[in-house]
Structures are given as C-alpha cells and as structure tokens.
Amino acid sequence: MLSTLLSMMSDGQFHSGEKLGESLGVSRAAVWKSLSRLEKEGFPIQRVRGKGYRIPKGAVLFDLDAIQQHLPTDIATYWQWHLYPSIDSTNAEAQRLMASAGGHQPLVCIAEQQSAGRGRRGRTWVSPYGQNIYMTLVEPFSNGAQGLEGLSLIVGIVLADTLESCGYPQVRLKWPNDLLLENRKLAGILIEIAGDLTSDCVAVIGVGINVLMRAEAGAQIDQAWTSLLQAPGQGELDRNKLVATFAQKLLLAMREFRRSGFQVFIPEWEKRDAWLGQSVSVVSGANVLNGVHRGISERGALRLQTAEGEMLVSGGEVSLRVNNAP
C-alpha cells in the first residue's frame, strides 16, 4: 500500500487523508499510520491541518518496472536487477549474488534501506528508509585490476553528469570519489574489485546519493553534508528516474573506457573539480602532505605541487582536504 500511496502523492500537492483512504479502499487512520511510520524514519512529509499531507514532487519508492521503462531495452536487459526493501549493504549483497551464481554477470542491487552501509576508510553510510539511493552495479572486465585505474573518477564524472542533466548543475567532484554540492558531501562512491586481479575480474561499484534526507535524518553524519532536496532550484527527485539516467550513462562510459582508457575523461573531471588550483592537504593515517592541487594524471592520481616538486598521489585510504575551508 505504501508504494501506491506515495505514487498518488508524488505530484507535490496536498492530499487529504480521507480522499487518499477512499482511493485506496482503506480508512483515514490506515493512511495516517502508514505515513506516520515513514515520517518517523525521516521521510519528508508535511502535514497541515485542513489540507492534509504533502511530500516532495517525485518522492516515490523504488520500482524496477519504472526504472526499466526509462531505459532503452538493450540497456535495461544488460543487467540482472535486484531490489530489496532492506539489506545490510548493496555491495555485500552483490558479492553474495556473484558467489552464488558462480560467474561474473552484470547486475544491479538497489535497496530502500541499508543496515550496514559502508563508505571509504571504514565509514558508515547513513541509510534511512526510502530517502536516498543505495545502489551497486557489477561490471565485468578482462584486463585485470591494473587496467581499472581511474574507474572511480569515471563513475564520479558520470554521476555528476547525471545530476546535471536532472537539474543540479552546481554539483562538483572531490578527488578521488566524492560529489559535493555547495561544498557539502552529496554522494560517494565505493569500488571493490573481485575475481582474478590479473585477468578476468569484476568491479563492484557502490554508489550512495543523498536525495530526500533532511537535517534530522542525518544527525549521525560526522561531516558537512547535503541532499538533492536541500539543493537550490527544482531538480528531479524521482529516484527511479535518477537511477535509470545514471545506469544508462554509466554503461556508455564503460564502453568508452574499454575503447580509449581513462585519459579521454580527464577534461571532464577537471571541468568539475571542486578544488583544482587550491591549497590542499592529503591525509593518510598520521601522514600529511601539503601542496597545490594541479589536477589528475593519466592514471587518475592526484597531481600535488609541493615545495619539493610535483608528486602523484594514488587513491585508496587517503583523505583530501582543502586548506582554506571556512
């Protein structure tokens, strides 16, 4: 019932509980109970006496049929699609699905909620129900892990391009795998490599995007963050459309990556690089490197201009911080 209820309300207008109940064949109390449970988990529901309930335009639950309807048939059928109401981690589930199938087939895992969502450097990814995008795509490669250098940056470029095409032109990239909006974290990427690291392998591409979260839902997050709901302007909030747009653009980018490598993507990254030319610090454990961010190399490494000359810093367990942040 909840999915149907939100679809009925997805026009962004106020709807009375009584009329919603009549349309669904349930009582007004049943409508109130369903929406109250969702509201307790942080879902952005506005209620006004005499008007009823309102949710942001496009705020619906995931629907695989709806996602695939937004895709050309050849792209929709390229992956095996898996949708879960709740899961520990979409990356972990993707690994389990690969193990049970005994092969490296392209697949997508999407969840309404994660109980153990993971980011880089062991961080927890806060994952409330029905509000954000928690998604993992499995993509096979045949040239080993070394041939995947720069992959996380390509995923970032595709994600930024997706959001720009959906009404969010202000999104910027932070090396190696974060997206920022107004200097606050909007999305993150976690890529894990499985299989033979020297030959046939798969990239397990985890993506998290804050879509409908409000401040109270992200109280546990220990860094400045934002969501599409809080972005200036009126961009797309339908997560089904966002997922479909991203999946289509990513598949096309992976084909180009196989043909031409990472180098052709460098201009697109640097066009959106949030901190290009700025004084930054690269933190790895207790070690800190200071310098000026000069861009990225042909392999996706950070070019850091230090007092001793230019250094190349690879991704991994490092953190990039801008030195003149307020």
Side-chain angles (χ1 to χ4, degrees):
M1 184 182 90
L2 185 56
S3 180
T4 304
L5 179 59
L6 293 184
S7 293
M8 294 169 58
M9 301 172 63
S10 64
D11 58 2
Q13 303 300 312
F14 278 104
H15 295 264
S16 76
E18 183 176 1
K19 290 184 178 179
L20 289 169
E22 288 176 359
S23 298
L24 291 168
V26 300
S27 67
R28 182 173 61 181
V31 171
W32 173 83
K33 185 176 181 180
S34 293
L35 293 178
S36 294
R37 184 168 61 250
L38 199 60
E39 187 178 23
K40 286 179 182 178
E41 299 193 29
F43 197 89
I45 298 174
Q46 182 183 7
R47 59 174 75 196
V48 175
R49 184 181 296 275
K51 290 187 175 182
Y53 307 94
R54 181 169 67 177
I55 62 175
K57 186 176 181 180
V60 295
L61 295 183
F62 282 125
D63 182 326
L64 290 185
D65 288 338
I67 293 172
Q68 293 173 351
Q69 286 171 9
H70 291 302
L71 290 169
T73 301
D74 63 323
I75 294 180
T77 57
Y78 174 78
W79 290 285
Q80 297 176 5
W81 294 82
H82 302 266
L83 173 61
Y84 304 91
S86 183
I87 200 74
D88 54 350
S89 157
T90 57
N91 266 34
E93 178 63 10
Q95 298 271 15
R96 289 191 290 264
L97 288 170
M98 286 192 298
S100 64
H104 295 162
Q105 298 301 314
L107 61 88
V108 179
C109 291
I110 305 170
E112 290 287 5
Q113 185 175 38
Q114 293 183 126
S115 59
R118 295 178 289 127
R120 290 178 62 249
R121 303 170 64 224
R123 279 182 161 164
T124 298
W125 191 271
V126 176
S127 309
Y129 182 84
Q131 298 176 51
N132 302 323
I133 292 175
Y134 321 117
M135 158 182 206
T136 296
L137 304 97
V138 171
E139 183 69 15
F141 289 90
S142 58
N143 52 352
Q146 187 172 359
L148 302 184
E149 292 175 320
L151 180 59
S152 67
L153 279 68
I154 293 174
V155 177
I157 292 167
V158 172
L159 191 50
D161 183 53
T162 295
L163 295 174
E164 181 174 338
S165 69
C166 290
Y168 304 96
Q170 313 94 333
V171 173
R172 294 295 177 263
L173 296 165
K174 174 193 167 189
W175 184 90
N177 51 11
D178 287 343
L179 279 77
L180 306 178
L181 180 62
E182 297 183 324
N183 288 321
R184 295 174 174 269
K185 186 167 181 176
L186 174 69
I189 298 156
L190 175 64
I191 296 183
E192 300 170 305
I193 308 300
D196 188 339
L197 299 185
T198 63
S199 181
D200 292 338
C201 62
V202 293
V204 181
I205 303 169
V207 173
I209 311 169
N210 299 329
V211 180
L212 298 172
M213 276 209 307
R214 297 180 296 185
E216 55 269 30
Q220 306 171 46
I221 302 176
D222 62 357
Q223 58 184 307
W225 67 276
T226 190
S227 66
L228 298 182
L229 182 65
Q230 302 176 60
Q234 295 292 320
E236 182 63 70
L237 293 176
D238 185 330
R239 294 176 301 145
N240 294 311
K241 293 180 181 178
L242 290 166
V243 164
T245 304
F246 173 65
Q248 181 170 0
K249 288 179 178 291
L250 183 65
L251 183 55
L252 297 176
M254 292 301 95
R255 291 171 179 171
E256 179 64 23
F257 180 45
R258 287 185 173 90
R259 286 193 299 266
S260 307
F262 174 69
Q263 184 176 358
V264 297
F265 292 91
I266 292 177
E268 286 299 310
W269 173 276
E270 296 191 341
K271 182 174 72 174
R272 294 184 171 94
D273 195 319
W275 295 344
L276 183 64
Q278 296 193 45
S279 174
V280 298
S281 297
V282 178
V283 181
S284 178
N287 299 316
V288 180
L289 282 174
N290 295 306
V292 176
H293 175 11
R294 294 301 188 195
I296 54 176
S297 75
E298 295 181 358
R299 294 186 174 183
L302 176 73
R303 296 172 48 219
L304 186 69
Q305 186 69 45
T306 70
E308 290 76 33
E310 183 174 290
M311 299 181 62
L312 297 180
V313 181
S314 298
E317 299 303 304
V318 301
S319 175
L320 182 67
R321 302 173 185 174
V322 67
N323 290 335
N324 60 352

